[in-house]
Structures are given as C-alpha cells and as structure tokens.
Amino acid sequence: MRSSPLLWALVALTVLLLPLVVLGPQSYITIDDNLDAEVSVPYLLARTNTALDYGAHTVVPQIMNGLPRNALRPGLSLTVACFELLPPLPAYLLNMVLVRLAGLLAMYALLRHWLLPAREQRGMAAAVALVWALLPVYSIYGVSVLGQPAVLLALRELRLNGRAWWPWLVLLLFPLWSSLVLAGVFVLAGAAAYLACADWLQRRLSWRAWLGVGLLALSSAVVEFPLLYSLLSHQFVPHRVEFDLLRLTPTSLTAQVRSTVQLALLGQYHSSLFFRGVMLLTLPLAWWQARRRGRAFPGRLVVGLLGLLLGLAVFGGFYLSFLRGAQEAVSPLRTFNLSRFHFLTPLLWLVVWVLALRTLPAGRGRAVLVAAQLLVVLLMNREWALNLRQLLGQPVATEPNYQQFVAPQLFARVAHSIQRQSGLRPAQYRVACLELPPAVAQLNGFCTLDSYQNNYPLAYKHQFRSVVAGELTKDELLRTYFDAWGNRCYLMAAELGKNFRVGANQHPPLQNFAFDAAAFRGLGGRYVVSAVALARPARSGLQLVGDFADPAAYWHLFVYEVGPICP
C-alpha cells in the first residue's frame, strides 16, 4: 500500500526543520524585528502574570519604567500560551514548528478541496503545501500568513455548504493565533473582497459566508481587547500620533518604482520575502503547454490575479505619495500602516502558481519547478539557511546564535557584580542599553528604560528624548528616525548612526557621548549597559563600574553608573 503524499510532506517538513531545533541554544533565531523586539514581550507577559490582566492601571515594570500592559500583544494567544508553558527559546521553537505544521495542513486542505481535487494531484498538492509551510515568515506572529488558506477554505465552504461546522471553528480561532494589526485587518478586507466578487459573479448573496466574516471580525475584537480598550478609553496617547513616514523614507519617483518592483518580485520581509521568479517562469510554460496540447488555460483568472498583485505592489510602492495627500484629511492614516496588504500576496502568488502548475503535464518538468521553488524558499529562509551553516561549521560572524545573542552567563555576571557593589537586585534599579537591543537585557531579567515597542505613551517618548537629545542634535537622520518614528526608543550615538547591534571589538570607544545624566536619573535610571566603551565617561556624568567579556557571548559589555546629581 502506497504511503500518503501528505505523510511524506510531513516527514520532509520534520527533516527540514531539524536544523532549527537540534542546535538547541546554538540555534539562530531571526534577530531584526524579532529577537530584538517581539520575543521578550510574551516572555514578560508570562513572567509578570499580566497576559490576561487588562486593568487600566496594570503595567509591565521591566519595560519603559512600567509600560501599560494594554500597549502590548493580547494574552488570548496561542503564542503567548507557549511562553506560559516553556522558557523563551523552547517556547519560540515550539510555536515556530506548530505554525509551520498548521500552514502545511491548511494549504494541503485548500488544494485538495478546491484547486487540486483529483486523486492523481495529491502529490503535487503535498509538495506545494510543503513549499508554503517553509516560507520565510515571522512565526512569532502565529499563522497570520500561513493560516490564511484555512480562512479562504472556510469561507468557500460556507458559500457552498452552510451545514458544515468546522468553518465556523476556523474563523473563530484564527484571531487567537495571528496579529490583527499586522495582518488581521487585511485578511478581513481580503475576505470581504473575495465574497463580494463571488456574490457579484454568481448573482446571489452568500449570507452564511458574510456571517463568517462577521464572526472573524468579532473574534478579532475579543482577542485584541487590550488594544481596543486602550484606544477607546483613551488610556494613554500613543507615540504613534507623531508618526511622519514621509520624513523617513525617500519619496522620489525612482525610490517608489524600486519599492514597487521589490514588492512585486520579492514581497516584504514581515509577510514573507522570497523570489517569485520560478512562479513567473511557470506561467508561460503552462500557457505554451496548454496551447500545444489543446487544453484550457485559465488565462482570465491568472491575468486578473496578476493584475491584483501588481496593483497591490504599486499601492505599496507609492503608498507615501498616497499618504501625503490623505493623512491630513484622515488622521488615523498617520498611526496605521495601510500598505500592509502585502500580507495577502503570498497566498495570491501560491494560487496563481497552482493554477499554472495544474495545467502542466505530470512529470519531471513540473517536479523540477516545484523543487526549484522549494530551494528558493529554503535559501531565503534565514533561520533555515543560517542554522544549516551552523551545523556545517560555517556560521556568519555578524549573525549570532541565540546563546551568543542573549548571553545569559554574561548578563548573570553583570547582575551579580551590581548586586555585590550596591546590594540591589535587577528589579530594584533601571538600566538603559547602548548599542545592544534592550530586549536582550529584558530576557535576562533586567528592567530597561528603553525598548523597541510598536505602541507606548507619547509622554514617555518626550521624557526619554531629553536623555538622548545631545546625540540627536549631531545627526539629522538619527533625529528624524527618533522624532518621526520612535519605535526604537533607544540610547543612540551619532558616531554609529542606526547601527544598534555592535558585537565585541567591532567599534572603537565612543569619543564624545552626549548623554543627559540628570534626565536619565530623573527617569529612575542608574546604569548604562553599553556594547561600546566610552572614551570619556565622566563628561557624560557616568563612571565605569564593570567591564565584562565572554568568548561565548556576542557582546563585550561595559557597565556605567550615573554619578550623583549636584543641585
């Protein structure tokens, strides 16, 4: 009896994920916008028992002198549940494996029940589902991308068969494992657009499917209660009201055309960055084979979907031009990034690709195309590719693994040294980090005045700015970066620009660090943990109290204490 293609796909997924798991603490975890920002949040929610505490006065003390809990991700989340059960690294890896497994099953179900229903197409469905499951997505956002096939299939089932119960369950649970702000809003918009087009073409209202969209929206609102509550109750004024994306990104025609091409051919890194070339190559091959063999090719549908993808790429690429004229009339556009429709494009590309693949004759040619796309996805999946290099003994020096990046032994020495000198435990003082992400200190039990957050009080941004104002005056680009965005509420140094991750011995001492020690002390700060030495710390109101190195860590840490403030 022949084995199921789905079983083989599950085995292949398991084997291909091994490099991300077997290394343990030596595993490489995506750093940018992930390990330097997102991973510490569910860890701290679990550690402080605030995941489901949505009280107006609840704060997470380890972040920004007590960041309002409702500024952070919701507690009704399977991702957060993983961090409730396990330490950070095992929790991250468990969530990642489950996300990719869910993605494989969701795509396989969509293909088998809709696009590739024939028995002889099972192998191709399993292979495409494997490609989908290995896309380079940010798994910390759950199934925001990889779970979309399940949503699409659920809505289709409600249109065709209102008696099934599982579509309601899918639509109810999707928000519990995804991000409303990043993807959920656009999934809702895409679902509504799909139903509107289907109803218009068939001249009937699929009211059960529209109720399904309503359930998806209602479930999202319940899950995202912390965010909605903080906005509706005006719990705090978010720093996002000062967003000015027009100051941050080049708005020349050349820059926007370049952005459009990148979105069309590569996508966007949060929603899956991979080259679409193999998929585009499949289209003319499928059209030629269809003509050659006298078979039908879904030309209108393919052209329509490609037109939609091109339109979304143009909208994303020229979003700032649109924003220039609209943000004054519609103020929420200043705080909400409407260009994130790119979260829908991976699924649209896979649908276009499958429509072409099923037109090709079964055989070696089609298998080569699928294998080529799988190879592209794997090579552009940084976690997979860099972990494979780790296993082969050829790591990238500038991309530390989890153990090197978090450096628990190094930070334990820092905490022990401070306690020996002052008698204080980490919870009793506040630090800020220079040239290393504050999330590293947070993962090691320190309370940081700085952080990388998508949402925090505007008043705190203004308070913290006074600490770094001297450095911001030196560099216009750095000043614009902080004032017009500010998600990275960091200590900054003009000598390093926007390089916020300096490994051991990668930069000489900073010669003139303009640091307002009085403002820092006023925020409750006591220590600066720096990855770069200061040539003249006394000029900054600081004194060196510790120098820590560890060959197993990515960092060489210099700990400075703020001196007494004279009246």
Side-chain angles (χ1 to χ4, degrees), residues 265-266 273-280 373 376-377 380:
L265 296 181
L266 293 173
L273 187 72
F274 68 94
F275 182 52
R276 274 72 164 166
V278 175
M279 296 178 176
L280 286 172
Q373 186 59 60
V376 168
V377 164
M380 297 194 71

Side-chain angles (χ1 to χ4, degrees), residues 18 27 49 82 149 209 241 257 318 348 375 399 404 481 507 540 547:
L18 283 178
S27 297
N49 297 315
C82 290
V241 301
V257 169
F318 285 81
L348 290 174
L375 182 61
E399 296 293 340
Q404 294 169 329
Y481 185 73
H507 196 277
S540 306
D547 180 338

Side-chain angles (χ1 to χ4, degrees), residues 370-445:
V370 175
Q373 186 59 60
L374 177 61
L375 182 61
V376 168
V377 164
L378 286 174
L379 293 178
M380 297 194 71
N381 184 327
R382 288 177 61 79
E383 286 187 340
W384 185 85
L386 291 179
N387 275 298
L388 182 61
R389 291 193 59 157
Q390 290 265 15
L391 285 174
L392 296 176
Q394 296 181 333
V396 178
T398 56
E399 296 293 340
N401 61 43
Y402 181 87
Q403 184 80 6
Q404 294 169 329
F405 187 81
V406 177
Q409 294 179 345
L410 184 65
F411 276 87
R413 287 172 52 198
V414 172
H416 177 73
S417 176
I418 291 175
Q419 185 169 358
R420 180 168 48 81
Q421 295 177 35
S422 66
L424 299 175
R425 298 185 303 276
Q428 296 175 292
Y429 55 85
R430 299 293 180 266
V431 307
C433 300
L434 178 62
E435 305 312 324
L436 74 152
V440 179
Q442 293 164 8
L443 286 168
N444 281 288

Side-chain angles (χ1 to χ4, degrees), residues 532-559:
V532 181
L534 303 181
R536 303 174 182 86
R539 291 187 180 181
S540 306
L542 300 168
Q543 57 182 349
L544 181 67
V545 296
D547 180 338
F548 304 89
D550 184 342
Y554 183 69
W555 319 102
H556 183 153
L557 298 180
F558 304 87
V559 179

Side-chain angles (χ1 to χ4, degrees), residues 105-115 147-161 166-167 170-171 194 347:
L105 296 176
M107 177 56 76
Y108 186 77
L110 176 69
L111 297 177
R112 294 295 295 128
H113 286 87
W114 189 357
L115 299 176
Q148 290 178 28
V151 174
L152 179 57
L153 183 61
L155 293 174
R156 180 177 183 269
E157 184 67 20
L158 289 178
R159 290 191 71 253
L160 301 178
N161 178 19
W166 63 264
V170 167
L171 298 173
Y194 160 67
L347 178 57

